[in-house]
Amino acid sequence: MINHKNTREQKLQRIIESEKILNEIQDVDVLLERLLTEARSIVHADAGSIYVCENENLKIKYTQNDTQQRNLALGQKIPYSYFSFPINEKSISGYCVVTGNLVNVKDVYAIPSDKPYKFNSQPDLLTGYKTHSILSIPLRTAAGHTLGVLQIINPLDEEGNAISFDDDAELYIKHFAASATQALERTYLTRGMIMRLVKMAGLRDPKETSHHVQRVSRFAVEIYDTWANKKGISPEEQNRYRDSLSIAAMLHDCGKVGISDAILKKPARFTPEEHDIIKMHCCVGAKLFYPYQSLLDEMVLEVVLHHHEKWDGTGYPGEIDIEKANDGDLNSMIHGKPMQKEEIPLSARIVALADVFDALSSKRVYKEEWSEEDVLNEVQESAGKHFDPDVVMAFFEVLPTLRGIQASFAEV
Ligand code: SIN
Ligand code: SIN
Ligand code: FE
Ligand code: FE
């Protein structure tokens, strides 16, 4: 006989813990992914998705499915989905946004015909997964603005059978969604400020676009996760690290704001003198984050300062005394003692690859985008020279997800 009072207390305790975890996250994407994980764990939901509102559309951000996950090798992720659809009453999540209410569908294959929404059975047909029940809830701010929709699927009973969400589950998820929405609002504010820094750098160097930095960030986090799983990094450390890395990666070239655009915008090869001036962007950017005010600042500084180091010690700027580095003085800014291999911070080794991968895959004024085959050959050949071989290995392992990220940006 289950002691209901006890399990309720445990549930509430679990929700409080989840909220604490969410409150410590600083990056929007990391938060969205974790929010879904936590919501599912509170009500033992087998699967779920999280959507964000973008203009008039709902855009899927993350999908999780324990049953499908079990069929994959350790550390692999289920295929990355990217699609968006118009916000209206015809879909369950669209209906949530329009009405502002939670929707609890007890059996998706028996939705009464008087409901405006239908269940889209296409994914079930494609994957062979059987969706039974769905709980969908809008992430609505106190000011009445809907940021997205949390959708969880198939709560499991003790035997692992998919059942429906009961009144308690509705209550828990309602409560959880309210505080998750606050956390989400906070991370959106942070993201907004970061994007303004990126735009400032973009005024000097137009290839520093918001899409470039967001892709670099998403690539870096995926590469890191794969690397960390292989190295047996603890989940706590992994969660902390990926959150800071996600933000730090977006800021890798923020120091361009301090470099003359007469050079950066030149549509031709740089002279060696011009290249030396450009190399200062690492140190200029790092100075923006020194002295540190947080662990995040520390990682941003690492990435900004060292994202052009190379594994074989032929990169720049090397070890720099950030306090003594003088603006405009090349010696103190770009000619540090060379760094190689593990001397280079992991975060910077990962961003180096993510950044080059995106730059080669993209069209620039002075070049067309490379074919994927050429890009992958270049990455492979640079293992042990420009890039950390372990990071390159993680990159190739997570390549299907990286392709999904590329496609999701091409779509918008
Ligand atoms: C850049 O960060 O975009 C330029 C780096 C370089 O050319 O060395
Ligand atoms: C970078 O973005 O830092 C690499 C250079 C490029 O974008 O072409
Ligand atoms: Fe750079
Ligand atoms: Fe870049």
Side-chain angles (χ1 to χ4, degrees):
M1 175 79 199
I2 301 171
N3 181 335
H4 279 279
K5 180 163 176 294
N6 246 335
T7 55
R8 278 199 174 161
E9 267 170 24
Q10 281 168 3
K11 274 268 193 283
L12 286 176
Q13 200 54 45
R14 181 74 194 74
I15 294 172
I16 291 168
E17 274 164 31
S18 292
E19 289 171 350
K20 186 165 167 291
I21 289 167
L22 298 191
N23 277 324
E24 284 166 2
I25 295 177
Q26 306 180 75
D27 180 66
V28 175
D29 289 311
V30 170
L31 180 69
L32 287 166
E33 190 173 15
R34 191 63 191 261
L35 193 164
L36 178 58
T37 313
E38 294 299 319
R40 288 174 49 236
S41 115
I42 290 167
V43 292
H44 304 291
D46 189 40
S49 303
I50 189 148
Y51 303 87
V52 292
C53 297
E54 259 186 29
N55 309 319
E56 305 302 308
N57 293 312
L58 272 172
K59 178 172 180 181
I60 190 150
K61 291 293 287 195
Y62 293 97
T63 297
Q64 297 170 356
N65 186 314
D66 283 349
T67 297
Q68 288 176 17
Q69 187 69 55
R70 262 194 303 277
N71 298 327
L72 295 172
L74 185 72
Q76 263 194 310
K77 291 196 175 180
I78 56 174
Y80 186 91
S81 13
Y82 49 92
F83 56 84
S84 37
F85 50 90
I87 295 173
N88 60 41
E89 298 190 338
K90 290 181 186 160
S91 66
I92 297 172
S93 40
Y95 182 83
C96 266
V97 177
V98 175
T99 61
N101 290 324
L102 168 150
V103 179
N104 185 353
V105 184
K106 307 252 173 186
D107 180 353
V108 296
Y109 288 97
I111 295 176
S113 55
D114 62 345
K115 298 287 184 195
Y117 51 82
K118 281 198 176 57
F119 172 64
N120 171 14
S121 57
Q122 206 58 31
D124 276 11
L125 289 171
L126 282 172
T127 59
Y129 185 76
K130 174 120 186 0
T131 303
H132 173 62
S133 56
I134 291 183
L135 185 66
S136 218
I137 186 163
L139 302 171
R140 224 167 119 95
T141 67
H145 186 62
T146 305
L147 304 178
V149 174
L150 168 67
Q151 187 164 81
I152 48 179
I153 295 172
N154 287 5
L156 303 177
D157 67 12
E158 266 150 44
E159 277 84 49
N161 302 310
I163 52 174
S164 304
F165 293 95
D166 60 16
D167 291 350
D168 275 357
E170 276 192 26
L171 197 67
Y172 296 139
I173 290 300
K174 254 190 197 160
H175 179 90
F176 173 77
S179 56
T181 304
Q182 281 187 359
L184 196 53
E185 267 189 291
R186 174 180 54 73
T187 60
Y188 270 122
L189 281 179
T190 307
R191 174 68 70 94
M193 294 308 287
I194 288 165
M195 283 320 192
R196 288 182 193 109
L197 277 173
V198 168
K199 274 192 193 163
M200 281 177 22
L203 294 176
R204 292 275 179 271
D205 185 350
K207 53 185 198 320
E208 246 6 76
T209 64
S210 87
H211 280 180
H212 165 64
V213 303
Q214 288 183 74
R215 280 190 302 261
V216 170
S217 162
R218 302 285 300 279
F219 296 156
V221 169
E222 296 297 340
I223 296 168
Y224 169 72
D225 280 345
T226 308
W227 180 95
N229 286 336
K230 273 190 132 66
K231 302 274 174 187
I233 305 296
S234 74
E236 293 75 28
E237 167 63 9
Q238 200 170 330
N239 283 321
R240 188 194 64 73
Y241 200 94
R242 73 204 297 278
D243 185 38
S244 296
L245 179 63
S246 181
I247 293 176
M250 283 187 247
L251 292 167
H252 66 271
D253 269 340
C254 67
K256 295 242 178 101
V257 69
I259 307 297
S260 160
D261 52 359
I263 299 173
L264 287 170
K265 287 179 180 156
K266 198 179 140 182
R269 291 248 159 240
F270 304 124
T271 65
E273 292 73 28
E274 287 167 341
H275 197 204
D276 276 354
I277 292 172
I278 290 174
K279 287 179 180 174
M280 293 196 293
H281 77 282
C282 298
C283 200
V284 170
K287 275 178 155 302
L288 295 175
F289 291 86
Y290 189 84
Y292 317 127
Q293 285 171 10
S294 62
L295 282 172
L296 172 63
D297 284 356
E298 218 173 314
M299 195 185 288
V300 178
L301 189 149
E302 249 171 44
V303 165
V304 171
L305 190 56
H306 297 301
H307 70 281
H308 290 289
E309 304 289 352
K310 295 184 179 173
W311 182 253
D312 64 7
T314 63
Y316 69 88
E319 275 174 35
I320 294 290
D321 183 340
I322 204 74
E323 243 170 311
K324 298 210 178 102
N326 272 326
D327 255 344
D329 169 24
L330 291 177
N331 265 335
S332 64
M333 290 186 99
I334 68 168
H335 295 309
K337 180 170 162 271
M339 286 172 107
Q340 58 165 334
K341 303 200 171 137
E342 273 95 5
E343 287 165 6
I344 308 162
L346 172 68
S347 54
R349 283 182 265 148
I350 293 174
V351 170
L353 173 53
D355 188 27
V356 169
F357 173 60
D358 194 63
L360 295 180
S361 308
S362 310
K363 186 172 157 30
R364 298 285 192 231
V365 251
Y366 51 86
K367 70 159 185 61
E368 286 303 312
E369 67 264 31
W370 291 20
S371 72
E372 189 190 66
E373 197 192 343
D374 288 349
V375 174
L376 299 183
N377 282 337
E378 173 69 19
V379 170
Q380 188 60 65
E381 277 178 16
S382 304
K385 295 179 198 151
H386 188 162
F387 305 125
D388 174 349
D390 285 355
V391 170
V392 170
M393 213 187 292
F395 167 91
F396 277 102
E397 238 172 82
V398 80
L399 188 58
T401 305
L402 306 185
R403 287 189 182 119
I405 293 169
Q406 286 178 317
S408 79
F409 278 93
E411 203 206 13
V412 290

